[in-house]
Amino acid sequence: MDNLLQVRDAHTFIGQFHILQGVTVNVPQGAITALLGRNGAGKTTTLKTILGLTPPRQGQVIFDGQEIQGRHTFDISALGIGFVPDYRAIFRDLTVAENLQIAERKQGDLARRQELIFGLFPDLKRLIKLRGTQLSGGQQQMLAIARALVAENKLLLIDEPTEGLAPVLIEQMMKAILQLSAETTVLLVEQNFAVATQLAKYYVIVEEGRTVKSGAMPDLLKDEATIHRYLGAA
């Protein structure tokens, strides 16, 4: 399968700290790939490296056949990469409608995409006039993902979408992400191993800033030693 995104031996520093020390990630087109690892392993920094928020000092980031490391974040985003950070990045003083409207890259994006967005998150249509401060945590997370869908992206980077959500909302979020993967390729950071295994077709494990293992998710599920060593989930 063709890789839409390739990160090759990325080394990224934050200040004097060498956070990524050789991360390699392949993201096949048309599927969900889970980026796994313990807290502090470098997963979020990998997403930020792809986006140019923390540019790599060494290594390559190749998206849709072209190298993108060293470019400005807004230029990388404009190529068709959406990002949903782990802190529910919405404008809390704006309404749901206003949050979606300002996520447009081109005029009319929302009108073209609203059937998809409200199909995935029907609650947002009902809450369209409410401000972000009036939404629950789960509704804020839905809005954060919906904002990334307003523009038509080839790749969506989603960081910890189920963190802090009640079980019923986790199920709803999982269903939405699975439906979304029919529309766009997804690189997913997910600390909940059970959720990741149900969503992702492929996996990459990062440990202490390095890629230690990758492959097909069904193969990982058979490998209890790797799960226990790097994820502590078995």
Side-chain angles (χ1 to χ4, degrees), residues 47-183:
L47 299 188
K48 291 181 176 180
T49 295
I50 293 165
L51 285 164
L53 293 167
T54 52
R57 291 193 192 175
Q58 177 183 323
Q60 294 174 295
V61 181
I62 302 169
F63 174 67
D64 204 17
Q66 57 182 309
E67 290 191 33
I68 62 172
Q69 75 276 0
R71 299 190 187 187
H72 294 296
T73 297
F74 57 82
D75 291 325
I76 293 172
S77 175
L79 294 173
I81 301 179
F83 179 42
V84 183
D86 62 351
Y87 48 85
R88 296 172 187 164
I90 63 168
F91 294 96
R92 287 172 169 77
D93 291 331
L94 299 183
T95 66
V96 169
E98 290 166 339
N99 266 279
L100 295 174
Q101 287 163 359
I102 63 174
E104 289 187 323
R105 286 200 193 112
K106 296 179 291 186
Q107 189 172 1
D109 277 348
L110 179 56
R112 287 187 290 271
R113 302 282 284 175
Q114 63 181 350
E115 185 177 350
L116 168 67
I117 290 168
F118 295 136
L120 291 170
F121 302 112
D123 281 357
L124 294 182
K125 189 172 185 178
R126 177 175 57 83
L127 304 168
I128 196 74
K129 295 182 180 180
L130 293 187
R131 298 188 182 278
T133 52
Q134 296 173 285
L135 304 180
S136 70
Q139 291 162 349
Q140 289 179 7
Q141 186 66 290
M142 291 174 196
L143 180 55
I145 294 178
R147 281 173 43 80
L149 300 179
V150 171
E152 193 166 345
N153 290 305
K154 300 175 184 176
L155 173 67
L156 198 58
L157 310 177
I158 307 179
D159 196 0
E160 299 281 9
T162 68
E163 184 178 19
L165 298 186
V168 65
L169 290 176
I170 289 176
E171 289 292 330
Q172 189 175 351
M173 189 65 66
M174 289 173 62
K175 182 179 178 181
I177 292 171
L178 280 173
Q179 288 179 277
L180 174 61
S181 67
E183 300 282 339

